[in-house]
Amino acid sequence: MALIPSFLGNRSSEFDPLSLDLWNPFEAGRSPFLGDIGHFSRDDASAIANTQFDWKETSDAHIFKADLPGLKKEEVKIEVEEGRVLQISGERKKEEEQKNDKWHRIERSRGKFVRRFRLPENAKVEEVKATMDSGVLTITVPKQPQPKPEVRAIEISG
């Protein structure tokens, strides 16, 4: 179901820019939003959507960064699934309420979050490393070195 109403008649559900599905920027000719999150409820959608990642590619690695303030490294789970899918999940827990507490505003997101990224073929998925420093999660996925083209001299006959 699209989250944006259609003012121009029927829309195809092929591409939904607010989809929470698996993002594969390396698969040409298809929608960049693929896959299925599956087991997370609609109530978790705001927490999922608000967990934003930066993905940078350097000459030797893919680097993912996310701000996860207030979370401990034990509350974040990082997995590499079959098909080179990097999955980051966790949960921001609701604060315990005291009987006499009077809340004026609740703006911080809470609930389960999950993000999935399909890694390119040159990713060394067995060497993924992660660090958490001051609420910033950094995941480093090393890249396989590019094979150098073999240059072979051809002798000219005659």
Side-chain angles (χ1 to χ4, degrees), residues 20 39-50 91-92 108-113:
L20 300 175
H39 59 281
F40 292 94
S41 72
R42 287 188 176 273
D43 295 338
D44 298 326
S46 67
I48 292 169
N50 288 329
E91 184 173 3
R92 290 184 181 105
R108 295 181 299 151
S109 63
R110 59 181 177 257
K112 295 176 184 175
F113 67 89

Side-chain angles (χ1 to χ4, degrees), residues 63-93:
I63 300 170
F64 297 83
K65 286 192 177 198
D67 295 335
L68 301 174
L71 287 182
K72 298 175 187 146
K73 65 180 183 179
E74 297 82 15
E75 298 171 319
V76 178
K77 185 177 181 181
I78 302 167
E79 301 171 302
V80 178
E81 300 175 347
E82 262 186 68
R84 299 179 328 275
V85 175
L86 176 67
Q87 177 171 299
I88 304 100
S89 60
E91 184 173 3
R92 290 184 181 105
K93 303 229 184 228

Side-chain angles (χ1 to χ4, degrees), residues 85-151:
V85 175
L86 176 67
Q87 177 171 299
I88 304 100
S89 60
E91 184 173 3
R92 290 184 181 105
K93 303 229 184 228
K94 184 177 178 180
E95 260 187 58
E96 289 188 33
E97 295 182 27
Q98 304 297 324
K99 258 187 175 175
N100 297 329
D101 288 350
K102 180 179 177 185
W103 290 89
H104 292 278
R105 184 175 301 267
I106 298 175
E107 293 183 341
R108 295 181 299 151
S109 63
R110 59 181 177 257
K112 295 176 184 175
F113 67 89
V114 65
R115 290 298 306 270
R116 299 175 74 193
F117 302 93
R118 185 170 312 278
L119 298 170
E121 289 185 27
N122 67 352
K124 292 183 178 180
V125 294
E126 62 282 344
E127 296 180 22
V128 175
K129 293 186 180 359
T131 61
M132 184 94 114
D133 185 33
S134 300
V136 177
L137 175 67
T138 302
I139 303 169
T140 304
V141 183
K143 289 169 44 177
Q144 310 245 355
Q146 291 284 6
K148 294 183 180 176
E150 187 177 312
V151 178

Side-chain angles (χ1 to χ4, degrees), residues 3-62:
L3 299 175
I4 301 174
S6 175
F7 298 107
L8 303 173
N10 277 342
R11 289 182 18 179
S12 166
S13 63
E14 178 66 28
F15 177 77
D16 185 350
L18 296 179
S19 171
L20 300 175
D21 293 341
L22 178 66
W23 180 43
N24 181 4
F26 299 100
E27 195 162 309
R30 296 197 50 194
S31 169
F33 301 97
L34 305 170
D36 181 21
I37 289 176
H39 59 281
F40 292 94
S41 72
R42 287 188 176 273
D43 295 338
D44 298 326
S46 67
I48 292 169
N50 288 329
T51 305
Q52 298 175 339
F53 276 78
D54 295 338
W55 179 353
K56 171 176 71 171
E57 182 175 355
T58 65
S59 60
D60 57 347
H62 294 275

